[in-house]
Amino acid sequence: MEKLTRRQFLKVGGSVAVGGILTSLACARPTPLPPAEATPAQAAQVGETIALPAPRLQGEMSVEEAIKGRRSERDFTDQPLNIEHVSHLLWAAQGITEDGGFKRAAPSAGATYPLDVYLVVGEKGVDGLQAGVYHYQVREHALRLLTTGDVRTILATACVGQMFIAEAPIAIVITAEYARTTGWYGERGTRYVHMEVGHAGQNIHLQAEALGLGTVVIGAFIDKEVSRLLRLPEGHEPLCVMPAGYHH
């Protein structure tokens, strides 16, 4: 692997080091969200973009409380989520946190940002959203509808039959295009991508805890089946699946 220049080394080291400091913004609990109201699902067309509400940046739960309470949850209720829940979870994963800039909630080696985030929504899983597969548009803080229909059972089957995934109202899938990072850092970039997905996953975990929700990181799945379900572009690979919702 080619040697890094001092500037590149400092850039990488700084990005990784930031991940060791959990900010209150990345997992802050917003003012308790109002009870979900049954609102008609938006009849969006495939390819259409749906704006998400801006996340609230002041919360009631401390970082320490979120860390202490975080657990892997696999027993979900069918209570639907609010669009605000979706907004906060996706923002915590990869949302832009720099005013007027591009820096995101999770650190990235050299700010190469190899991750993409997809949202699988079940029937009546999120008030105001129709069932389907969405791609998180980072810069716009919006969702782009890729396919319609409830595919949670297909996703659960692709995750080697972990059927509790089909019971959660939503599932977040984090994918990576390794070339964005390895193009700069060579083989070492693969390690940096895996560091980054760990940061993003922990952010989702802590944000879920702060919202009174639960989630779990799933790494056991058939890559080709998940890729086909999400219609991933060539060179993109799924790294983890995180079902989320209210839990018993």
Side-chain angles (χ1 to χ4, degrees), residues 139-192:
R139 293 188 178 279
E140 296 82 9
H141 189 57
L143 292 172
R144 180 172 178 267
L145 180 62
L146 300 180
T147 62
T148 59
D150 190 342
V151 298
R152 289 175 299 170
T153 298
I154 300 174
L155 179 62
T157 302
C159 292
V160 294
Q162 299 180 79
M163 300 312 295
F164 64 86
I165 295 172
E167 298 173 1
I170 67 169
I172 297 170
V173 185
I174 303 178
T175 70
E177 184 181 22
Y178 285 92
R180 298 180 200 171
T181 304
T182 58
W184 282 98
Y185 301 111
E187 184 180 349
R188 191 77 172 181
T190 300
R191 180 179 299 192
Y192 297 155

Side-chain angles (χ1 to χ4, degrees), residues 74-97:
R74 297 177 176 83
D75 189 7
F76 299 98
T77 74
D78 60 1
Q79 182 177 348
L81 303 185
N82 280 323
I83 193 69
E84 288 86 358
H85 290 133
V86 170
S87 172
H88 280 85
L89 291 170
L90 298 182
W91 175 82
Q94 284 287 282
I96 293 178
T97 57

Side-chain angles (χ1 to χ4, degrees), residues 18-42:
V18 171
I21 304 174
L22 291 172
T23 66
S24 60
L25 293 183
C27 63
R29 182 180 186 178
T31 303
L33 300 174
E37 297 180 359
T39 56
Q42 296 188 35

Side-chain angles (χ1 to χ4, degrees), residues 93-94 104 106-109 111-115 174 181 190-202 239:
Q94 284 287 282
R104 302 185 188 180
S108 179
T112 50
Y113 298 118
L115 304 184
I174 303 178
T181 304
T190 300
R191 180 179 299 192
Y192 297 155
V193 172
H194 295 162
M195 290 178 180
E196 186 170 339
V197 74
H199 287 299
Q202 180 74 333
L239 294 183

Side-chain angles (χ1 to χ4, degrees), residues 32-57:
L33 300 174
E37 297 180 359
T39 56
Q42 296 188 35
Q45 301 295 319
V46 171
E48 186 176 341
T49 298
I50 301 168
L52 292 171
R56 291 176 243 176
L57 303 182

Side-chain angles (χ1 to χ4, degrees), residues 103-127:
K103 297 295 181 65
R104 302 185 188 180
S108 179
T112 50
Y113 298 118
L115 304 184
D116 279 276
V117 181
Y118 292 81
L119 178 71
V120 175
V121 177
E123 189 67 36
K124 297 181 180 179
V126 179
D127 283 321

